[in-house]
Structure formats: C-alpha cells, structure tokens
Amino acid sequence: MKVLIVGGGGREHAIAWKLAQSRRVGEIVCAPGNAGIEQIARCVPVAAEDIEGLTALAKAEQPGLTVIGPETPLAEGLTDAIEALGLKVFGPDKSCARLEASKSFTKAFLARHGIPTAGYREYTDIESLKADIGVFGFPMVLKADGLAAGKGVIIAEDRAAAESAADELMGLRTFGAAGDKVVVEEFLRGTEASMLCFVDGGAIVPMESAQDYKRIYDGDKGPNTGGMGAYSPSLLFDAAMERRVRECILLPTLAGFKADGLDFKGVLFIGLMLTDEGPKVIEFNNRFGDPETQAVLPRLKTDLAEIMLSALENNLSRTVIEWDGGVRTVCVVMAAGGYPGAYRKGDVITGLRDVPADIRVFHAGTGKNENGDIVTAGGRVLGVLGQGRTHEEARARAYEGAARISFAGAVYREDIGVVYSGFPHSRE
Ligand code: AMP
Ligand code: GLY
C-alpha cells in the first residue's frame, strides 16, 4: 500500500519512520517533508496548507491511506476533500476539526457533556470584554477563539496586562480573524499532562502518556513554544489518575461525539490540568502532538498502519494495541537561535553521522542547500531521541546524541526529562 503523509515536521518524520516499518506499507509519499523524511519517503514540494495542491496530489498518487499531521489542513477540510475522491484519510473531517480550530466550540461541547474544564465566557466585541476584566479574578486567561499556532493564549497577571491582552487580541488583531471571538477562562492551578488517543466511532484508546516541555528556557521559563522536548511514559500518571481520566473525560467525550453526530476518526490530543479537584480539560487538539509523538511512537509495538486502518473501519475496539512497557524515551528538541521569535535559517548541520545508532534523530525544520548539505530551515530543527530501560538512561542517551550535533545558533533545554519537585508544569 502507498501512504501519503501531509506535513514536514518532527511529528511527521516519526509517523513516516513508524509507518515504514509496517508490513502493510510499500511506499511513502510526503508533502512537503524535510531532509530526514526524504531518506525514507518520496517528498513532494506541496505545502501542508495548500488544500488544492494536496487534493490534486492525492488524486494523482491514489494512496491507500493519507495521514494528515498538522492542524491547519484538518481545519480547512483536507480530509473531506480527499475522502470525496473515494480515498481513505486518517484525520478528522472539517466538522470535527472545530474541536481544535474553535475554542468556543470546544468549551460548549465540554459544558454540554458535563466534562470537567475551566469555567468560561466568550466575547465578540472589545467593549464587553473590557467591561468584564477580572470576571474570574486574576490571573485572567484570554484566548483567541481560532488557530494561532499555539500563541493565541494570554495569561494576564493583573488588570493592566488584561487590558493590553484585550487590545492585542481584539484591537490590534495580532492573530487576525482568530481573535474575532475571545474566550475568557477561569485560571486552573495544577500540573499539565498530554494524553494522545486513537479515536473512532466506537472507541477512544489512550496511547502511552507523555510529558511535553512548552517553554523555551530551562526551569520552564520564557515564552511558550511548540514544545522543546518530551518524555514517555509520563512520571505523574498513575493507574488511579488514568482511571479517573477515563471515567470523567474519555468516556463522556466519546458519548458526546456520538450524541452530537461528530464522526471523529484520528488522534484526539487532550491537554489536561491535574488539579486538586481532579483532571480537567485545558484544550483539545485533533492530531498527534509534536514532540510527544516522537517520544511515544517508538514505544508502540503494534503496526501503526493497522491501527489507522482499523480506526477508519470503526474497528478500534477490537484492535489490540501493544506498547513496549520496558522502554523509556526522552526527546530533546534542538531549535534555531531566536526561536520562538524570528530565527536563523540556512545554517549547516554537522555531526548527524556521529550520533550512535541507538539514538534516533527526527528531523523537523531541515532542508538542503545547493551543495547538498543538510541545513536548518525552521524554528524547531531536530528532535534527538534517547531510549533506555530507565528514564535516566533514556535522558542520558538523548543528551549524548544532542552533544554530537552542531549548527550555528543551536539552542536546546538541558532539563528535558527532569521532574522537578512538584512537576515540570506546576504553576503553584
Ligand atoms: P492552550 O493553547 O489552550 O493549550 O493554552 C496554552 C497554555 O496556556 C496551556 O498549555 C496552559 O499552560 C495555559 N492555559 C490555558 N488555559 C488555561 C487555564 N484555564 N488555566 C491555566 N492555564 C491555562
Ligand atoms: N506539543 C504540543 C502540541 O503539539 O500542540
């Protein structure tokens, strides 16, 4: 079977690498891919946002399965467009993609189905928003309703910060139409965790847990990024917490999809806050997380293509999904200097061949220059994955790999995998 993968980041490299091991997969085509994906797939220069171009590509290639990595093409209906060609797509359709593309849609879904989440209000004009500043006290959480590449959430510590957040979102329209509606939420205190689940009409199956590190600097300081590293399994999920998440969040979510006629097929990524009152949903994403996927998929024993195909047939509940419980992973992201702001591009990456074989390097923002050298081409450049029998061993291997690789301006956190007293994302 031929598989088409849409996207070109570390997540897509991990998906391509895993699918390449499938006994069902013969050829992989990736749009647009990157310099690492190119080593295992045929890359085609069609951007992940180019819905028409991707639809035409699917029509020409006739893949047996298309897997969509990033949120934007999902929100814009790429699944629907490719399904209309009579082809199979793993990834939610446009109506389900609202679960990530509109925070207001998701908050209404959670409220309607009694799923624990922060209290909220929504605003479509700046005057009413400003009149309500401090409605849930401070810090005040303000969110652009639409997609904003993970940057549309502002946590304002006081009234002045909230005023300027309101101006930024609705006055200056920093995030464009994404800020036409603003959701204000109660501030939740606790520890964050990511849970990725395979979903079809009859089942919601959590993958092994993972922990993401969102901030740019060590000690969880500085601005938010797409994610600077991850490890799996999470050290804060015990069996009791898993049971609670299943009962209070997963099962009501699946029932909610059914009740609302949402035929979700793909990966649901649940951002959780583990609070004193129990786990609460911070957000839904409707795709694999990046870099959580790079830490989680190497621990998957079951054929990934089989799982995806079974979800498309509503067969997940009858599919056995196995994980390698004896393996721990830590993925360290190497980013370009300046990220998450404006960053350098085109710097030659050296040392990739010196990385020991047990350490896997997933490419994210990489490309080739005219000499054929692998160069930086994005904010997050590489994900270096260490694996081991213990968490500490996996962590040591990841840093051993990162130390072998260099490019001008490279930055990475030294504390990926460190569990602080409290937890990495504790806000107390
Ligand atoms: P989101 O894009 O909705 O996941 O928000 C980005 C980040 O903002 C989250 O990962 C949390 O760290 C933080 N955040 C979002 N909503 C809340 C909330 N209601 N209370 C506390 N922190 C939040
Ligand atoms: N690592 C967070 C995300 O993929 O959105």
Side-chain angles (χ1 to χ4, degrees):
M1 174 176 75
K2 185 195 281 185
V3 176
L4 170 63
I5 298 176
V6 175
R11 162 184 51 208
E12 288 77 19
H13 192 186
I15 293 170
W17 166 78
K18 198 70 196 175
L19 286 175
Q21 296 164 17
S22 166
R23 58 184 186 85
R24 301 286 296 264
V25 176
E27 187 191 2
I28 302 178
V29 179
C30 187
N34 60 35
I37 296 175
E38 199 179 280
Q39 294 164 12
I40 48 173
R42 173 158 55 87
C43 292
V44 183
V46 181
E49 297 74 35
D50 178 0
I51 306 301
E52 268 178 38
L54 292 166
T55 310
L57 180 66
K59 191 169 180 187
E61 295 284 349
Q62 295 288 311
L65 173 67
T66 297
V67 181
I68 303 174
E71 61 273 20
T72 304
L74 291 166
E76 290 182 2
L78 182 59
T79 299
D80 313 58
I82 296 180
E83 277 179 348
L85 301 170
L87 298 170
K88 290 183 179 170
V89 186
F90 184 80
D93 63 16
K94 192 171 182 173
S95 72
C96 294
R98 286 176 295 173
L99 290 164
E100 178 165 1
S102 166
K103 303 220 182 257
S104 142
F105 179 82
T106 299
K107 293 303 281 190
F109 174 88
L110 294 168
R112 186 160 62 242
H113 300 293
I115 300 166
T117 187
Y120 78 109
R121 290 198 188 178
E122 53 187 54
Y123 303 87
T124 48
D125 69 279
I126 191 164
E127 289 75 26
S128 352
L129 172 59
K130 286 201 167 178
D132 258 7
I133 279 181
V135 59
F136 296 111
F138 295 97
M140 179 173 176
V141 181
L142 298 95
K143 301 185 174 185
D145 178 54
L147 291 181
K151 299 187 185 117
V153 175
I154 302 176
I155 305 209
E157 294 298 331
D158 53 28
R159 179 166 296 276
E163 294 263 353
S164 67
D167 286 332
E168 198 181 319
L169 292 168
M170 292 195 119
L172 302 170
R173 301 182 85 245
T174 310
F175 302 105
D180 285 349
K181 193 186 270 183
V182 166
V183 171
V184 168
E185 287 181 10
E186 174 198 356
F187 181 78
L188 298 177
R189 284 173 208 280
T191 302
E192 286 187 62
S194 312
M195 183 172 250
L196 277 65
C197 306
F198 292 110
V199 182
D200 69 8
I204 178 161
V205 185
M207 300 182 207
E208 287 281 278
S209 59
Q211 194 75 32
D212 181 18
Y213 291 74
K214 284 202 164 79
R215 306 292 194 97
I216 184 76
Y217 302 128
D218 284 27
D220 274 330
K221 304 259 173 6
N224 266 326
T225 69
M228 291 301 289
Y231 70 85
S232 176
S234 160
L235 299 174
L236 53 89
F237 253 79
D238 56 14
M241 181 60 79
E242 264 170 46
R243 210 173 317 115
R244 210 154 164 195
V245 169
R246 184 174 169 74
E247 278 160 23
C248 306
I249 294 172
L250 302 186
L251 296 178
T253 296
L254 186 64
F257 287 169
K258 272 193 193 146
D260 294 355
L262 294 170
D263 185 17
F264 194 108
K265 289 195 172 70
V267 170
L268 183 70
F269 168 135
I270 307 178
L272 293 170
M273 187 73 86
L274 310 179
T275 75
D276 288 346
E277 295 163 26
K280 297 191 180 184
V281 175
I282 300 177
E283 62 163 351
F284 281 155
N285 295 323
N286 46 43
R287 51 175 176 80
F288 281 100
D290 188 342
E292 289 90 335
T293 303
Q294 293 88 308
V296 167
L297 285 187
R299 303 184 55 231
L300 177 64
K301 290 212 286 197
T302 309
D303 186 320
L304 180 59
E306 297 280 4
I307 299 173
M308 291 174 163
L309 292 169
S310 91
L312 297 182
E313 267 147 34
N314 274 329
N315 238 339
L316 268 183
S317 62
R318 285 178 289 279
T319 306
V320 178
I321 300 180
E322 288 187 301
W323 299 90
D324 193 340
V327 171
R328 315 273 139 166
T329 57
V330 173
C331 179
V332 174
V333 170
M334 300 181 75
Y339 178 77
Y343 52 82
R344 305 167 54 116
K345 270 191 195 177
D347 291 307
V348 175
I349 304 171
T350 57
L352 288 167
R353 286 209 188 87
D354 306 328
V355 175
D358 68 300
I359 302 169
R360 190 157 299 290
V361 180
F362 291 118
H363 287 231
T366 66
K368 282 197 176 147
N369 67 13
E370 57 283 3
N371 304 324
D373 302 316
I374 295 182
V375 296
T376 65
R380 290 186 291 172
V381 177
L382 299 166
V384 184
L385 184 87
Q387 308 180 65
R389 293 277 137 201
T390 64
H391 179 75
E392 278 315 314
E393 187 186 338
R395 186 170 134 66
R397 296 309 286 154
Y399 280 104
E400 156 86 35
R404 302 284 180 106
I405 300 170
S406 37
F407 51 91
V411 286
Y412 56 87
R413 278 180 61 163
E414 304 276 355
D415 65 345
I416 302 303
V418 169
V419 181
Y420 298 101
S421 59
F423 292 112
H425 301 286
S426 173
R427 286 175 172 274
E428 274 119 359

